[in-house]
Amino acid sequence: MRIDKDLVAASATPLVLGILADGDLYGYAILKRVGELSGGRMQWTDGMLYPLLHRLERLGHVSASWGTSESGRRRKHYSITPTGRAALAERQAQWSVVADALRQVWESAPRPATVVEGWA
């Protein structure tokens, strides 16, 4: 299933902040976690993640520091800041409203018999 790019873009910030709320991670580990959380249905790329991390860093939602992995490789680790936690709480409240509205619409509307190829 292809997930529409607008939906991916809208969900990216709360996903990354939520993942980092569980603990500091480096970029590749964030990519893996997104895949795990989605059951493999969302496969982000470096080209999507790193611009987002840099934007979140500029906004003060995440901080970055260099560390060394178990294999001795230098990696940039990202952590959520207090400002990022506040932004995450706000996004959670917003998404709850959207999810509740969608749930109500989908529970009252008949489901299509088949999924049309290309629909998100």
Side-chain angles (χ1 to χ4, degrees):
M1 162 181 33
R2 182 183 73 74
I3 299 176
D4 185 77
K5 68 179 182 176
D6 292 335
L7 188 54
V8 172
S11 62
T13 293
L15 266 173
V16 168
L17 291 176
I19 288 168
L20 291 176
D22 285 339
D24 300 357
L25 289 174
Y26 57 96
Y28 180 71
I30 295 170
L31 292 174
K32 282 181 50 177
R33 187 70 181 130
V34 168
E36 291 167 3
L37 290 169
S38 67
R41 293 172 291 190
M42 292 175 68
Q43 297 297 321
W44 289 3
T45 63
D46 292 356
M48 186 255 160
L49 177 63
Y50 288 104
L52 173 61
L53 287 169
H54 296 151
R55 184 175 63 78
L56 293 174
E57 192 175 6
R58 280 192 311 273
L59 292 170
H61 296 333
V62 302
S63 61
S65 61
W66 286 99
T68 305
S69 70
E70 296 158 0
S71 65
R73 185 175 176 202
R74 261 180 56 114
R75 290 191 172 139
K76 199 174 211 181
H77 290 257
Y78 296 90
S79 59
I80 191 168
T81 64
T83 303
R85 288 187 188 280
L88 175 58
E90 178 63 28
R91 293 289 176 110
Q92 287 172 321
Q94 292 172 11
W95 274 95
S96 290
V97 171
V98 171
D100 288 344
L102 287 171
R103 190 174 303 105
Q104 291 179 50
V105 167
W106 291 335
E107 286 174 356
S108 65
R111 292 184 63 95
T114 61
V115 175
V116 177
E117 187 64 34
W119 281 30

Coordinates of all heavy atoms in Angstrom, one line a residue, residues 30-100:
I30 N 16.0 5.7 14.0 CA 14.7 6.3 13.8 C 14.0 5.7 12.6 O 12.8 5.3 12.7 CB 14.8 7.8 13.7 CG1 15.4 8.4 15.0 CG2 13.4 8.4 13.4 CD1 15.7 9.9 15.0
L31 N 14.7 5.6 11.5 CA 14.2 5.0 10.3 C 13.7 3.6 10.6 O 12.6 3.2 10.1 CB 15.2 5.0 9.2 CG 15.6 6.3 8.6 CD1 16.7 6.2 7.6 CD2 14.4 7.0 7.9
K32 N 14.5 2.8 11.2 CA 14.1 1.4 11.6 C 12.9 1.4 12.5 O 12.0 0.6 12.3 CB 15.3 0.7 12.3 CG 16.3 0.2 11.3 CD 17.4 -0.5 12.0 CE 17.0 -1.6 13.0 NZ 18.0 -2.4 13.6
R33 N 12.8 2.3 13.4 CA 11.7 2.3 14.4 C 10.4 2.7 13.6 O 9.3 2.1 13.9 CB 11.9 3.3 15.5 CG 10.9 3.3 16.6 CD 11.0 2.0 17.4 NE 10.0 2.1 18.4 CZ 9.1 1.1 18.6 NH1 9.2 0.0 18.0 NH2 8.2 1.2 19.6
V34 N 10.4 3.6 12.7 CA 9.2 3.9 11.9 C 8.7 2.7 11.1 O 7.5 2.4 11.1 CB 9.5 5.1 10.9 CG1 8.4 5.2 9.9 CG2 9.7 6.4 11.6
G35 N 9.7 1.9 10.6 CA 9.3 0.7 9.9 C 8.7 -0.3 10.8 O 7.7 -0.9 10.5
E36 N 9.3 -0.4 12.0 CA 8.7 -1.4 13.0 C 7.3 -1.0 13.5 O 6.4 -1.8 13.5 CB 9.6 -1.4 14.2 CG 11.0 -2.1 14.0 CD 12.0 -1.8 15.2 OE1 11.6 -1.2 16.2 OE2 13.1 -2.2 15.1
L37 N 7.1 0.3 13.8 CA 5.9 0.8 14.3 C 4.7 0.6 13.2 O 3.6 0.5 13.6 CB 6.0 2.3 14.7 CG 6.8 2.5 16.0 CD1 7.0 4.0 16.1 CD2 6.1 2.0 17.2
S38 N 5.1 0.7 11.9 CA 4.1 0.6 10.9 C 4.0 -0.8 10.3 O 3.3 -1.0 9.3 CB 4.5 1.6 9.8 OG 5.7 1.2 9.1
G39 N 4.7 -1.7 10.9 CA 4.6 -3.1 10.4 C 5.2 -3.2 9.1 O 4.9 -4.0 8.2
G40 N 6.2 -2.3 8.8 CA 6.9 -2.3 7.5 C 6.2 -1.6 6.4 O 6.6 -1.5 5.3
R41 N 5.0 -1.0 6.7 CA 4.2 -0.3 5.7 C 4.7 1.1 5.4 O 4.3 1.7 4.4 CB 2.8 -0.3 6.0 CG 2.2 -1.8 6.0 CD 0.8 -1.8 6.5 NE 0.9 -1.5 8.0 CZ -0.1 -1.7 8.8 NH1 -1.2 -2.0 8.4 NH2 0.1 -1.4 10.1
M42 N 5.5 1.7 6.3 CA 6.1 3.0 6.0 C 7.6 2.8 6.0 O 8.2 2.4 7.0 CB 5.7 4.0 7.2 CG 4.3 4.3 7.2 SD 3.8 5.3 8.6 CE 4.6 6.9 8.2
Q43 N 8.2 3.1 4.9 CA 9.6 3.0 4.7 C 10.2 4.4 4.3 O 10.1 4.8 3.2 CB 10.0 2.0 3.6 CG 9.5 0.6 3.9 CD 10.2 0.0 5.1 OE1 11.4 0.3 5.3 NE2 9.5 -0.7 5.9
W44 N 10.6 5.1 5.3 CA 11.2 6.4 5.1 C 12.6 6.3 4.6 O 13.3 5.3 4.8 CB 11.2 7.2 6.4 CG 9.9 7.7 6.9 CD1 8.6 7.4 6.4 CD2 9.7 8.5 8.1 NE1 7.7 8.0 7.2 CE2 8.3 8.7 8.2 CE3 10.5 9.0 9.0 CZ2 7.7 9.4 9.2 CZ3 9.9 9.8 10.0 CH2 8.5 10.0 10.1
T45 N 13.0 7.4 3.9 CA 14.4 7.4 3.4 C 15.2 8.5 4.2 O 14.6 9.3 4.9 CB 14.4 7.8 1.9 OG1 13.9 9.2 1.8 CG2 13.6 6.9 1.1
D46 N 16.5 8.4 4.0 CA 17.4 9.4 4.6 C 17.0 10.8 4.1 O 17.0 11.8 4.9 CB 18.9 9.2 4.2 CG 19.5 8.0 4.8 OD1 18.8 7.3 5.6 OD2 20.6 7.6 4.5
G47 N 16.7 10.9 2.9 CA 16.3 12.2 2.3 C 15.1 12.8 2.8 O 14.8 14.0 2.7
M48 N 14.2 12.0 3.5 CA 13.0 12.5 4.1 C 13.3 12.8 5.6 O 12.8 13.8 6.1 CB 11.9 11.5 3.9 CG 10.6 11.9 4.4 SD 10.3 11.1 6.0 CE 9.1 12.1 6.7
L49 N 14.1 12.0 6.2 CA 14.3 12.1 7.7 C 15.2 13.2 8.1 O 14.9 14.0 8.9 CB 14.8 10.8 8.3 CG 15.1 10.9 9.8 CD1 13.8 11.1 10.6 CD2 15.8 9.6 10.2
Y50 N 16.4 13.3 7.4 CA 17.3 14.3 7.9 C 16.9 15.7 7.7 O 17.2 16.5 8.6 CB 18.7 14.0 7.3 CG 19.3 12.7 7.9 CD1 19.3 11.5 7.2 CD2 19.8 12.8 9.2 CE1 19.8 10.4 7.8 CE2 20.3 11.6 9.8 CZ 20.3 10.4 9.1 OH 20.7 9.3 9.7
P51 N 16.3 16.1 6.7 CA 15.8 17.5 6.6 C 14.8 17.8 7.7 O 14.7 18.9 8.3 CB 15.1 17.6 5.2 CG 15.8 16.6 4.4 CD 16.1 15.5 5.4
L52 N 13.9 16.8 8.1 CA 13.0 16.9 9.2 C 13.7 17.1 10.5 O 13.4 18.0 11.3 CB 12.1 15.7 9.2 CG 11.1 15.7 10.5 CD1 10.2 16.9 10.5 CD2 10.3 14.4 10.5
L53 N 14.7 16.3 10.8 CA 15.5 16.4 12.0 C 16.2 17.7 12.1 O 16.2 18.4 13.1 CB 16.5 15.3 12.1 CG 16.0 13.9 12.4 CD1 17.1 12.8 12.2 CD2 15.4 13.8 13.8
H54 N 16.8 18.2 11.0 CA 17.4 19.5 11.0 C 16.4 20.7 11.3 O 16.7 21.6 12.0 CB 18.1 19.8 9.7 CG 19.3 18.8 9.5 ND1 19.7 18.4 8.2 CD2 20.0 18.1 10.3 CE1 20.7 17.5 8.3 NE2 20.9 17.3 9.6
R55 N 15.2 20.5 10.7 CA 14.2 21.5 11.0 C 13.7 21.5 12.4 O 13.6 22.5 13.1 CB 13.0 21.3 10.1 CG 11.9 22.4 10.2 CD 10.7 22.2 9.2 NE 10.0 21.0 9.4 CZ 9.1 20.7 10.4 NH1 8.8 21.7 11.2 NH2 8.5 19.6 10.4
L56 N 13.6 20.3 13.0 CA 13.2 20.2 14.4 C 14.3 20.7 15.3 O 14.0 21.3 16.3 CB 12.9 18.7 14.7 CG 11.6 18.1 14.1 CD1 11.5 16.7 14.3 CD2 10.4 18.9 14.5
E57 N 15.5 20.5 14.9 CA 16.6 21.1 15.6 C 16.6 22.6 15.6 O 16.8 23.3 16.6 CB 18.0 20.5 15.1 CG 19.1 20.8 16.0 CD 20.4 20.1 15.5 OE1 20.4 19.5 14.4 OE2 21.4 20.2 16.2
R58 N 16.4 23.2 14.4 CA 16.3 24.7 14.3 C 15.2 25.2 15.1 O 15.3 26.3 15.7 CB 16.1 25.1 12.8 CG 17.4 25.1 12.0 CD 17.1 25.8 10.7 NE 16.0 25.3 9.9 CZ 15.9 24.3 9.1 NH1 17.0 23.6 8.9 NH2 14.8 24.0 8.5
L59 N 14.1 24.5 15.2 CA 12.9 24.9 16.0 C 13.1 24.7 17.5 O 12.3 25.2 18.3 CB 11.7 24.2 15.6 CG 11.1 24.5 14.2 CD1 10.0 23.5 13.8 CD2 10.6 25.9 14.1
G60 N 14.2 24.0 17.9 CA 14.5 23.8 19.3 C 13.7 22.6 19.9 O 13.7 22.4 21.1
H61 N 13.1 21.8 19.0 CA 12.4 20.6 19.4 C 13.3 19.4 19.7 O 12.9 18.5 20.5 CB 11.3 20.2 18.4 CG 10.2 21.2 18.2 ND1 9.9 22.2 19.2 CD2 9.4 21.5 17.2 CE1 8.9 22.9 18.7 NE2 8.6 22.6 17.5
V62 N 14.4 19.3 19.0 CA 15.4 18.3 19.3 C 16.7 18.9 19.4 O 17.0 20.0 18.9 CB 15.4 17.2 18.2 CG1 14.0 16.5 18.0 CG2 15.9 17.7 16.8
S63 N 17.6 18.2 20.1 CA 19.0 18.6 20.1 C 19.8 17.4 19.6 O 19.4 16.2 19.6 CB 19.4 18.9 21.6 OG 19.3 17.8 22.4
A64 N 21.0 17.7 19.1 CA 21.8 16.7 18.5 C 23.2 16.7 19.1 O 23.7 17.8 19.5 CB 21.9 16.9 17.0
S65 N 23.8 15.5 19.3 CA 25.2 15.5 19.8 C 25.8 14.3 19.1 O 25.2 13.3 18.8 CB 25.2 15.3 21.3 OG 24.5 14.1 21.7
W66 N 27.1 14.4 19.0 CA 27.9 13.3 18.4 C 28.3 12.3 19.4 O 28.6 12.6 20.5 CB 29.2 13.8 17.7 CG 28.8 14.5 16.4 CD1 28.7 15.9 16.2 CD2 28.6 13.9 15.2 NE1 28.4 16.2 14.9 CE2 28.3 15.0 14.2 CE3 28.5 12.6 14.7 CZ2 28.0 14.8 12.9 CZ3 28.2 12.4 13.4 CH2 28.0 13.5 12.5
G67 N 28.2 11.0 19.1 CA 28.5 9.9 20.0 C 29.2 8.8 19.1 O 29.3 8.9 17.9
T68 N 29.6 7.8 19.8 CA 30.2 6.7 19.2 C 29.4 5.4 19.4 O 28.9 5.2 20.5 CB 31.6 6.4 19.7 OG1 32.4 7.7 19.6 CG2 32.4 5.4 19.0
S69 N 29.2 4.7 18.3 CA 28.4 3.5 18.4 C 29.2 2.4 19.0 O 30.4 2.5 19.2 CB 27.9 3.1 17.0 OG 29.0 2.6 16.2
E70 N 28.6 1.2 19.3 CA 29.3 0.1 19.8 C 30.4 -0.4 18.9 O 31.4 -1.0 19.3 CB 28.3 -1.1 20.1 CG 27.2 -0.7 21.1 CD 26.0 -1.5 21.0 OE1 25.9 -2.4 20.1 OE2 25.1 -1.3 21.9
S71 N 30.2 -0.2 17.6 CA 31.2 -0.6 16.6 C 32.3 0.4 16.4 O 33.2 0.2 15.6 CB 30.5 -0.8 15.2 OG 30.0 0.4 14.7
G72 N 32.2 1.6 17.2 CA 33.2 2.6 17.1 C 33.0 3.7 16.1 O 33.8 4.6 15.9
R73 N 31.8 3.6 15.4 CA 31.5 4.5 14.4 C 30.9 5.8 15.0 O 30.0 5.7 15.9 CB 30.5 3.9 13.4 CG 30.1 4.7 12.2 CD 29.3 3.9 11.3 NE 28.9 4.8 10.2 CZ 27.8 4.6 9.5 NH1 27.1 3.5 9.7 NH2 27.5 5.4 8.5
R74 N 31.3 6.9 14.5 CA 30.7 8.2 15.0 C 29.3 8.4 14.4 O 29.0 8.2 13.2 CB 31.5 9.4 14.5 CG 32.4 9.9 15.6 CD 33.3 11.1 15.1 NE 32.5 12.2 14.6 CZ 32.4 13.4 15.2 NH1 33.1 13.6 16.2 NH2 31.6 14.3 14.7
R75 N 28.3 8.7 15.3 CA 26.9 8.9 14.9 C 26.4 10.1 15.6 O 26.7 10.4 16.8 CB 26.1 7.7 15.3 CG 26.4 6.5 14.4 CD 25.4 5.4 14.6 NE 25.6 4.4 13.7 CZ 25.5 3.1 13.9 NH1 25.2 2.7 15.2 NH2 25.7 2.2 13.0
K76 N 25.5 10.8 14.9 CA 24.8 11.9 15.5 C 23.5 11.4 16.2 O 22.7 10.8 15.6 CB 24.5 13.0 14.5 CG 24.2 14.3 15.0 CD 23.9 15.3 13.9 CE 24.4 16.7 14.3 NZ 24.1 17.6 13.2
H77 N 23.4 11.6 17.5 CA 22.3 11.2 18.3 C 21.3 12.4 18.5 O 21.8 13.5 18.8 CB 22.7 10.6 19.6 CG 23.4 9.3 19.5 ND1 22.8 8.1 19.8 CD2 24.7 9.0 19.1 CE1 23.7 7.1 19.6 NE2 24.8 7.7 19.1
Y78 N 20.1 12.1 18.4 CA 19.0 13.1 18.6 C 18.2 12.8 19.8 O 17.9 11.7 20.1 CB 18.1 13.1 17.3 CG 18.9 13.5 16.1 CD1 19.4 12.5 15.3 CD2 19.0 14.8 15.7 CE1 20.1 12.9 14.1 CE2 19.7 15.2 14.6 CZ 20.2 14.2 13.8 OH 20.9 14.6 12.7
S79 N 17.9 13.9 20.5 CA 17.1 13.8 21.7 C 16.0 14.9 21.7 O 16.2 16.0 21.2 CB 17.9 13.9 23.0 OG 18.6 15.1 23.0
I80 N 14.9 14.6 22.3 CA 13.8 15.5 22.4 C 14.1 16.5 23.5 O 14.6 16.1 24.5 CB 12.4 14.8 22.5 CG1 11.3 15.8 22.3 CG2 12.4 14.1 23.9 CD1 9.9 15.1 22.2
T81 N 13.7 17.8 23.3 CA 13.9 18.8 24.3 C 12.6 19.1 25.0 O 11.6 18.6 24.6 CB 14.4 20.1 23.6 OG1 13.3 20.6 22.8 CG2 15.7 19.9 22.8
P82 N 12.7 19.9 26.1 CA 11.4 20.3 26.7 C 10.4 21.0 25.8 O 9.2 20.7 25.8 CB 11.8 21.2 27.9 CG 13.2 20.7 28.2 CD 13.8 20.3 26.9
T83 N 11.0 21.8 24.9 CA 10.1 22.5 23.9 C 9.5 21.4 22.9 O 8.4 21.5 22.5 CB 11.0 23.5 23.1 OG1 11.5 24.4 24.0 CG2 10.1 24.2 22.0
G84 N 10.3 20.4 22.6 CA 9.8 19.3 21.7 C 8.7 18.5 22.4 O 7.8 18.1 21.8
R85 N 8.9 18.3 23.7 CA 7.8 17.6 24.4 C 6.5 18.4 24.5 O 5.4 17.8 24.3 CB 8.3 17.3 25.9 CG 9.4 16.2 25.9 CD 9.7 15.8 27.3 NE 10.8 14.9 27.3 CZ 10.8 13.6 27.0 NH1 9.7 13.0 26.7 NH2 11.9 12.9 27.0
A86 N 6.6 19.7 24.6 CA 5.4 20.5 24.5 C 4.8 20.5 23.2 O 3.6 20.4 23.0 CB 5.8 22.0 24.9
A87 N 5.6 20.5 22.1 CA 5.1 20.4 20.7 C 4.5 19.1 20.5 O 3.4 19.0 19.8 CB 6.3 20.7 19.7
L88 N 5.1 18.0 21.0 CA 4.5 16.7 20.9 C 3.1 16.6 21.6 O 2.2 16.1 21.0 CB 5.4 15.6 21.5 CG 4.9 14.2 21.5 CD1 4.6 13.7 20.1 CD2 6.0 13.3 22.2
A89 N 3.0 17.2 22.7 CA 1.7 17.1 23.5 C 0.7 17.9 22.6 O -0.5 17.4 22.5 CB 1.9 17.8 24.8
E90 N 1.0 19.0 22.0 CA 0.1 19.8 21.2 C -0.3 18.9 20.0 O -1.5 18.9 19.6 CB 0.7 21.1 20.8 CG -0.1 21.9 19.9 CD -1.5 22.4 20.5 OE1 -1.6 22.5 21.7 OE2 -2.4 22.6 19.7
R91 N 0.7 18.3 19.3 CA 0.4 17.5 18.1 C -0.5 16.3 18.5 O -1.4 15.9 17.8 CB 1.7 17.0 17.5 CG 2.5 18.1 16.9 CD 1.9 18.6 15.6 NE 2.6 19.7 15.0 CZ 3.3 19.6 13.9 NH1 3.3 18.5 13.2 NH2 4.0 20.7 13.5
Q92 N -0.3 15.7 19.7 CA -1.1 14.6 20.1 C -2.5 15.0 20.3 O -3.5 14.3 19.9 CB -0.6 14.0 21.4 CG 0.7 13.2 21.3 CD 1.3 12.8 22.6 OE1 1.3 13.6 23.6 NE2 1.9 11.6 22.6
A93 N -2.8 16.2 20.9 CA -4.1 16.7 21.0 C -4.8 17.0 19.7 O -5.9 16.6 19.4 CB -4.1 18.0 21.8
Q94 N -4.0 17.5 18.7 CA -4.5 17.8 17.4 C -4.9 16.5 16.7 O -6.0 16.4 16.1 CB -3.5 18.6 16.6 CG -3.3 20.0 17.1 CD -2.1 20.7 16.3 OE1 -1.6 20.2 15.3 NE2 -1.7 21.8 16.9
W95 N -4.0 15.5 16.7 CA -4.2 14.2 16.0 C -5.4 13.5 16.7 O -6.1 12.8 16.0 CB -3.0 13.4 16.0 CG -2.1 13.7 14.9 CD1 -1.1 14.6 14.8 CD2 -2.2 13.2 13.5 NE1 -0.5 14.7 13.6 CE2 -1.2 13.8 12.7 CE3 -3.1 12.3 12.9 CZ2 -1.1 13.6 11.4 CZ3 -2.9 12.1 11.6 CH2 -1.9 12.7 10.8
S96 N -5.6 13.6 18.0 CA -6.8 13.0 18.6 C -8.1 13.5 18.0 O -9.0 12.7 17.8 CB -6.7 13.2 20.1 OG -5.7 12.5 20.7
V97 N -8.1 14.8 17.8 CA -9.3 15.4 17.2 C -9.6 14.9 15.8 O -10.7 14.5 15.5 CB -9.2 16.9 17.2 CG1 -10.4 17.6 16.4 CG2 -9.2 17.5 18.7
V98 N -8.5 14.9 15.0 CA -8.6 14.4 13.6 C -9.0 12.9 13.6 O -9.9 12.5 12.9 CB -7.3 14.6 12.9 CG1 -7.3 13.9 11.5 CG2 -7.0 16.1 12.7
A99 N -8.3 12.1 14.4 CA -8.6 10.6 14.5 C -10.0 10.4 14.9 O -10.7 9.5 14.4 CB -7.6 9.9 15.4
D100 N -10.5 11.1 15.9 CA -11.9 10.9 16.4 C -12.9 11.3 15.3 O -13.9 10.6 15.0 CB -12.2 11.8 17.6 CG -11.5 11.3 18.9 OD1 -11.1 10.1 18.8 OD2 -11.4 12.0 19.8

